[in-house]
Amino acid sequence: MSFTLAIVGRPNVGKSTLFNRLVGKKLALVDDQPGVTRDLREGEARLGDLRFTVIDSAGLEEATDESLQGRMRILTERAVEMADVCLFLIDARDGVLATDEVFADILRKKNANVILAANKAEGRAADGGVIEAWGLGLGEPIRLSAEHGEGLNDLYSILMPLADKFAERAKRDAPDVDVAVHDDDDFDGPRVPTKEKPLQVAVVGRPNAGKSTLVNQLLGEERLLTGPEAGITRDAISVMMDWEGVPVRFFDTAGIRKRAKVQEKLEKLSVSDGLRAVKFAEVVVILLDVEIPFEQQDLRLADLAEREGRAVVIAVNKWDLEDDKNAKIRMLREEFERLLPQLRGAPLVTVSARTGRGMDRLQEAVMKAHEVWNRRITTAKLNQWLAGMIEAHPPPAPGGKRIKLRYMTQAKTRPPGFVAMCSHPDKLSESYKRYLINGMRVDFDMPGTPIRLYFRDQSDANPFKNRKKSTPSRLRKHLGKRPHGVKPGEKF
């Protein structure tokens, strides 16, 4: 049975490094600078035969006000209350600090299962810190080295009996369910439950556009750290939710500024993490600020999503602050058509992440974009449509050579990709390709989604092309015989 393990401790004690070690991937950003992690990041951990959920938290700091550090502490304390087990990390090289003693008292009150671990414990320099950890009153500390993977066997030995206890409790609390046997003629439902793969949605935009607030509004709780400061989110945080009956995984990404303004190493890592989320998402929501929409960076993000072949939804946030909404929406649609012609027809919705207005429109737009992104068109309909397009506007004849479009078929989805067989594909102009793609968007109701159209020479599919002519075998056999009257060895 799975359980939840929260890793807590002061800043820069190695929580994110241990998190990456347990999940087997570099999901959390790691840097020598303290306070890199600000949100709660969850991952599926593996330790021997144990499978559990691990939570990487922000560094605990002695701040209880409404400052950024205070809000980070509130999130971490919430993770402590939610988790089944807390792993309290200290830095063995620094020893036990006064802050560690304060948080040890807090953990004893908030969670019954607290494991004390002294990280960075490789070498003799850490012996003093490990001995000091006994004074925290949390039992024997584990000597760990998250960077080198040392001490994980001791952690496994402590977690194993706790995992058995949680499994017994879950089995005891689980309701008894009678499994009914259905007759084949009367039962129409599914016999084997299927696990539906969640829809991957990435929310991207410039700093302070309201991305974390939007995800919190959808979740219905303050799951992600928010505030008036720009650039609070530093790495791409994924959260699972049931969105009107559809399992969805949202990726809240760091605000992406212009490349020239990104100088610090940590911000470069944050931007790379956000761009990687775009590449792995299925639908990308470009969140704009209604006061300064369609900035140059917004256009670059939208163009990146289109080039990566993702379905795109444009959402304009802070709509509750706008007075003249009718004039503003007209202006937004005009600028969208003018600045992003490659995404013509993509959904443009107005939302307010603070009040929750427009969330239904956003959900409808995301589901529609995902459905179009996965759409498949039959070859018969494609060729019937292609014949009509050629009749309305025949392809050009460069150099007097008429280009003949033979037939067309769909090769892939996600995004939709099509292949058209024709003569002289290298001479086909870009304008005619755009004519076909725009016609496909209109006639097959595929607005906004990236469409890939490839042209191939029909002769390339001929297996006998470029094959040298050879003498038939019967003729070779006949030519190999000596004529009548020619002796062996004589030329003929």
Side-chain angles (χ1 to χ4, degrees), residues 337-353:
E337 293 287 332
R338 177 174 58 86
L339 298 174
L340 291 172
Q342 68 272 34
L343 292 174
R344 183 174 300 163
L348 175 66
V349 296
T350 55
V351 297
S352 173

Side-chain angles (χ1 to χ4, degrees), residues 7-11 13 15 57-60 76 87-89 100 103:
I7 305 174
V8 297
R10 289 186 294 107
V13 296
K15 298 183 297 296
S57 62
L60 287 165
T76 301
L87 181 61
F88 182 39
L89 282 189
D100 295 323
F103 295 136

Side-chain angles (χ1 to χ4, degrees), residues 12-21 23 25-37 41 56 119-120 146-147 234-235 265-270 273 276:
N12 211 27
V13 296
K15 298 183 297 296
S16 296
T17 304
L18 180 60
F19 174 86
N20 290 338
R21 172 74 62 177
V23 300
K25 302 176 183 177
K26 291 185 178 180
L27 294 181
L29 296 182
V30 177
D31 192 69
D32 294 335
Q33 176 183 341
V36 173
T37 303
R41 178 188 282 276
D56 182 25
N119 193 29
K120 306 179 185 179
E147 186 174 357
R234 281 181 168 167
D235 47 1
K265 173 188 173 184
L266 183 57
E267 187 173 0
K268 291 181 180 179
L269 293 174
S270 301
D273 206 30
R276 186 165 61 249

Side-chain angles (χ1 to χ4, degrees), residues 8 28 79 118 133 141 145 164 189 204 208 227 232 249 268 311 320 322 444:
V8 297
S145 176
D164 295 337
V204 300
N208 215 23
I232 290 180
R249 182 184 298 276
K268 291 181 180 179
D320 54 310
E322 184 61 36
F444 293 111

Side-chain angles (χ1 to χ4, degrees), residues 330-472:
R330 285 196 300 269
M331 185 270 291
L332 289 173
R333 295 190 186 280
E334 291 175 0
E335 288 193 358
F336 181 35
E337 293 287 332
R338 177 174 58 86
L339 298 174
L340 291 172
Q342 68 272 34
L343 292 174
R344 183 174 300 163
L348 175 66
V349 296
T350 55
V351 297
S352 173
R354 186 177 63 87
T355 64
R357 295 190 63 179
M359 295 299 115
D360 52 343
R361 295 194 297 270
L362 179 63
Q363 194 255 359
E364 182 181 353
V366 168
M367 297 305 168
K368 171 69 174 178
H370 185 256
E371 185 272 328
V372 174
W373 195 61
N374 284 274
R375 183 170 297 173
R376 181 169 289 277
I377 305 171
T378 63
T379 303
K381 290 183 178 179
L382 277 174
N383 286 289
Q384 184 179 2
W385 168 83
L386 181 62
M389 295 293 286
I390 294 174
E391 184 178 356
H393 184 54
K401 294 183 177 180
R402 176 67 65 182
I403 297 177
K404 296 182 180 179
L405 289 168
R406 310 286 185 181
Y407 65 92
M408 187 175 180
T409 186
Q410 185 169 1
K412 61 183 287 291
T413 57
R414 304 164 63 93
F418 303 88
V419 177
M421 294 295 182
C422 67
S423 60
H424 312 293
D426 55 325
K427 300 184 182 301
L428 197 62
S429 62
E430 289 294 328
S431 61
Y432 198 79
K433 294 178 184 178
R434 288 195 299 270
Y435 161 72
L436 293 177
I437 291 176
N438 292 334
M440 199 178 301
R441 293 188 191 280
V442 174
D443 296 336
F444 293 111
D445 191 21
M446 302 172 70
T449 191
I451 294 178
R452 305 292 187 250
L453 180 57
Y454 307 97
F455 295 89
R456 289 179 55 189
D457 193 342
Q458 190 175 14
S459 60
D460 292 341
N462 185 0
F464 298 101
K465 182 184 178 182
N466 299 327
R467 185 171 178 178
K468 294 182 179 179
K469 294 183 178 181
S470 59
T471 307

Side-chain angles (χ1 to χ4, degrees), residues 42 198-202 238-241 246-251:
E42 296 183 3
L199 171 63
Q200 313 276 349
V201 180
S238 66
V239 291
M240 281 287 299
M241 65 169 291
V246 179
V248 178
R249 182 184 298 276
F250 276 98
F251 291 90

Side-chain angles (χ1 to χ4, degrees), residues 123-285:
R124 294 183 180 180
D127 292 345
V130 175
I131 295 174
E132 287 183 17
W134 283 89
L136 293 174
L138 295 174
E140 180 180 359
I142 304 174
R143 292 186 69 119
L144 276 181
S145 176
E147 186 174 357
H148 300 96
E150 299 176 5
L152 295 181
N153 291 334
D154 297 333
L155 179 61
Y156 173 85
S157 301
I158 297 178
L159 288 178
M160 177 56 75
L162 293 175
D164 295 337
K165 183 179 73 172
F166 292 131
E168 289 295 329
R169 185 185 66 184
K171 189 181 299 183
R172 184 176 62 253
D173 297 341
D176 295 331
V177 179
D178 295 330
V179 181
V181 179
H182 300 275
D183 186 77
D184 289 343
D185 296 334
D186 300 330
F187 181 62
D188 294 329
R191 306 184 186 281
V192 180
T194 57
K195 185 178 179 180
E196 188 177 355
K197 185 178 179 181
L199 171 63
Q200 313 276 349
V201 180
V203 183
V204 300
R206 288 179 290 108
N208 215 23
K211 299 179 291 297
S212 298
T213 306
L214 176 68
V215 177
N216 282 340
Q217 183 65 242
L218 294 172
L219 291 172
E221 60 175 341
E222 294 296 319
R223 173 66 174 76
L224 301 171
L225 191 64
T226 60
E229 303 91 348
I232 290 180
T233 304
R234 281 181 168 167
D235 47 1
I237 303 296
S238 66
V239 291
M240 281 287 299
M241 65 169 291
D242 184 87
W243 202 12
E244 302 294 334
V246 179
V248 178
R249 182 184 298 276
F250 276 98
F251 291 90
D252 178 31
T253 62
I256 302 176
R257 300 193 297 165
K258 294 180 179 179
R259 183 180 299 179
K261 294 184 178 181
V262 179
Q263 301 294 336
E264 296 183 2
K265 173 188 173 184
L266 183 57
E267 187 173 0
K268 291 181 180 179
L269 293 174
S270 301
V271 171
S272 299
D273 206 30
L275 297 180
R276 186 165 61 249
V278 171
K279 295 178 181 179
F280 285 100
E282 297 172 314
V283 181
V284 176
V285 177

